[in-house]
Amino acid sequence: MPALPADIPQTLQDLLPKWAHFCLYAGRFVEEELRIDLTGRRVLVGLSGGVDSTCLLLLLHYLSQRGDFTVGAVHLDHGLRPESGGDAAFARSLCERLGIDCTVESRDVARLAEERGLGIEEAGREARYKLYAQLRESGGWDFVALGHQLDDLSEDVLMRLIRGTGWPGLSGMAGYDPGRALVRPLLLLPKSTLAAFVSSLGIVWREDASNADPAMTRNRVRNEILPLIEKENPAFWQSVARLWRIGRVERDFWAELESGACEILDNSRLEALHKAQRLHLYKACLDRLGSGQALADTLFKLDSAWQERRVGADFQFPGRKTARIAASGVVFTAKH
C-alpha cells in the first residue's frame, strides 16, 4: 500500500483556491439543493477507500471545521478480495492522519449471498446499509454520507431505463434519503473532478478490480454502454444532472398528491384526478405495500378497468401485491 503523503492539508484554507471552491460548492449543494443544515450534526462517511469515498471524507473534513459538524468514518471489509485487508488499512491510516474516528468491520459477503440467494453485489450492498443503520443507532450519527457521484448517477439512470422504471423515478437515486438518513454530497460532480482533487493532495486511493468484472450489469453499463453514449453526446453528464433536478422538483409535486390513506382509493377521489395523477397514485399505493416494481402496462390496465367500473377485476403486481376494482373504488392488498 502506498504511503500517505506527509503533508496532507489540514484545513480548507490550506487548499489551493480551486479546490477550496470545489469543497464549498459541495457544501452549498447539501445546504441549498438538498436543504440539509449540518451545523452541530454528526456525519458518518461510508469509506471504501476508493476515489469517491476518499474524496468525500476529505471534503467533509475540510467543511466540518467551517460548518461546525463532526465527521466519522466506517469501512466494511467484504472479504471478497485478497487485497481487502489493504483497503481497511488505508481507511484506518487516512482517518488517523485527519484525526477522524474510524470503525472497521468485516462481513462474509459471499456466505451472505449464498444464504440469502442474492448476487454478490446485492449482498454487499445489504451488508453495508445494515451496518450503517446499526452504527447510526448505536453511535448517535445524524447522517450517513455516501460517495455516489455524477458518473454513478448516469449509470443509475441507464439501469433504471433498462429495467423500465417510470417517471420521476427514472431521474435516478435520491440526493437525500430521509428514511435512512443517507446523503450524497457529490451526486452532481463528475468522477474525473473527484480524482483530480484527491490526486492534487498526493493521495493514492484504492482500486477495486471487481469494478471491471463484466458479469455485473452495472459494470457493463459503466464500461461499455456509457462510453458509447458519451461518444454521441459528450454533454450527457450535464443532461443527467438536469434530469435529476427536474425529477426532484416533480417528486415534491407528486408527494402531496400521494399523501394520505392508500389501502382504498374511493371513486370520488379518483374522479377528481387526471389520468396521469391516477397512475402516479396507484403506483404510490403499491410501493407502500412493499418491494416489487409496479409495471406500467398493468397500471394502465388497472386504470382502464376502474374507468369501466369492472367490479371484481383483480390485477397482480410483483411482491405479491394486488389491486382490485370494488364498487367503491380501488382496493390494494399485499400477502406477506
Side-chain angles (χ1 to χ4, degrees):
M1 183 183 74
L4 292 170
D7 55 348
I8 298 176
Q10 289 297 313
T11 70
L12 193 68
Q13 291 73 25
D14 294 332
L15 297 175
L16 293 173
K18 170 183 177 179
W19 296 121
H21 288 303
F22 164 76
C23 294
L24 292 171
Y25 170 86
R28 286 195 301 273
F29 174 76
V30 171
E31 182 178 348
E32 298 173 8
E33 191 93 40
L34 304 183
R35 300 170 194 162
I36 296 173
D37 183 1
L38 295 179
T39 305
R41 313 305 286 273
R42 290 168 53 80
V43 183
L44 182 67
V45 175
L47 179 61
S48 69
V51 63
D52 303 337
S53 62
T54 298
C55 174
L56 179 62
L57 183 79
L58 290 161
L59 181 147
L60 288 176
H61 168 67
Y62 296 131
L63 290 178
S64 68
Q65 301 159 12
R66 182 176 184 271
D68 190 26
F69 59 90
T70 301
V71 176
V74 55
H75 175 88
L76 180 63
D77 183 346
H78 295 61
L80 296 172
R81 297 176 292 113
E83 63 270 24
S84 65
D87 297 345
F90 171 82
R92 283 195 184 96
S93 179
L94 178 60
C95 288
E96 183 178 349
R97 290 289 298 278
L98 297 174
I100 292 173
D101 289 337
C102 182
T103 299
V104 176
E105 297 204 12
S106 61
R107 299 288 186 275
D108 188 341
V109 170
R111 180 180 175 183
L112 175 65
E114 184 177 356
E115 291 176 347
R116 297 289 308 280
L118 303 173
I120 288 292
E121 188 176 20
E122 186 177 357
R125 185 183 306 110
E126 182 177 294
R128 290 193 302 276
Y129 283 81
K130 185 176 181 179
L131 177 59
Y132 299 155
Q134 291 171 343
L135 291 177
R136 270 186 56 219
E137 183 175 347
S138 64
W141 298 99
D142 297 296
F143 300 101
V144 175
L146 302 178
H148 296 110
Q149 29 72 9
L150 186 54
D151 298 47
D152 294 323
L153 179 61
S154 301
E155 294 161 16
D156 188 49
V157 166
L158 286 178
M159 291 178 69
R160 289 174 185 236
L161 180 63
I162 291 168
R163 291 195 300 264
T165 302
W167 184 257
L170 185 59
S171 61
M173 69 183 80
Y176 174 43
D177 178 349
R180 295 182 293 175
L182 301 177
V183 59
R184 298 179 170 98
L186 308 177
L187 196 56
L188 298 190
L189 289 163
K191 189 183 188 80
S192 58
T193 304
L194 274 55
F197 171 61
V198 177
S199 295
S200 75
L201 302 180
I203 296 172
V204 180
W205 58 87
R206 305 287 294 180
E207 293 285 1
D208 184 348
S210 67
N211 288 333
D213 183 357
M216 297 182 182
T217 302
R218 181 174 293 278
N219 291 344
R220 294 196 299 275
V221 169
R222 174 188 301 133
N223 300 322
E224 299 173 21
I225 298 176
L226 265 175
L228 293 175
I229 293 176
E230 188 180 18
K231 183 177 179 181
E232 298 297 329
N233 177 14
F236 178 68
W237 315 104
Q238 291 94 319
S239 299
V240 168
R242 285 194 297 272
L243 185 73
W244 182 85
R245 284 193 162 104
I246 294 168
R248 187 168 180 277
V249 170
E250 295 219 0
R251 280 193 184 96
D252 289 344
F253 171 79
W254 291 111
E256 184 175 351
L257 169 73
E258 295 164 359
S259 63
C262 238
E263 292 80 8
I264 300 175
L265 297 178
D266 61 73
N267 291 326
S268 60
R269 183 179 182 185
L270 292 173
E271 286 165 354
L273 301 176
H274 186 279
K275 182 172 184 173
Q277 294 173 306
R278 293 197 301 271
L279 292 169
H280 270 274
L281 195 51
Y282 298 150
K283 183 180 183 303
C285 292
L286 289 161
D287 288 346
R288 289 188 194 181
L289 293 177
S291 60
Q293 179 68 40
L295 302 178
D297 286 347
T298 314
L299 291 173
F300 276 103
K301 291 175 183 177
L302 170 62
D303 190 63
S304 295
W306 172 78
Q307 290 183 77
E308 297 165 9
R309 298 300 196 272
R310 285 195 270 126
V311 175
D314 281 323
F315 296 86
Q316 304 298 317
F317 291 88
R320 304 182 71 189
K321 295 179 283 192
T322 301
R324 178 173 56 85
I325 307 301
S328 59
V330 182
V331 179
F332 297 92
T333 57
K335 295 179 182 179
H336 297 292

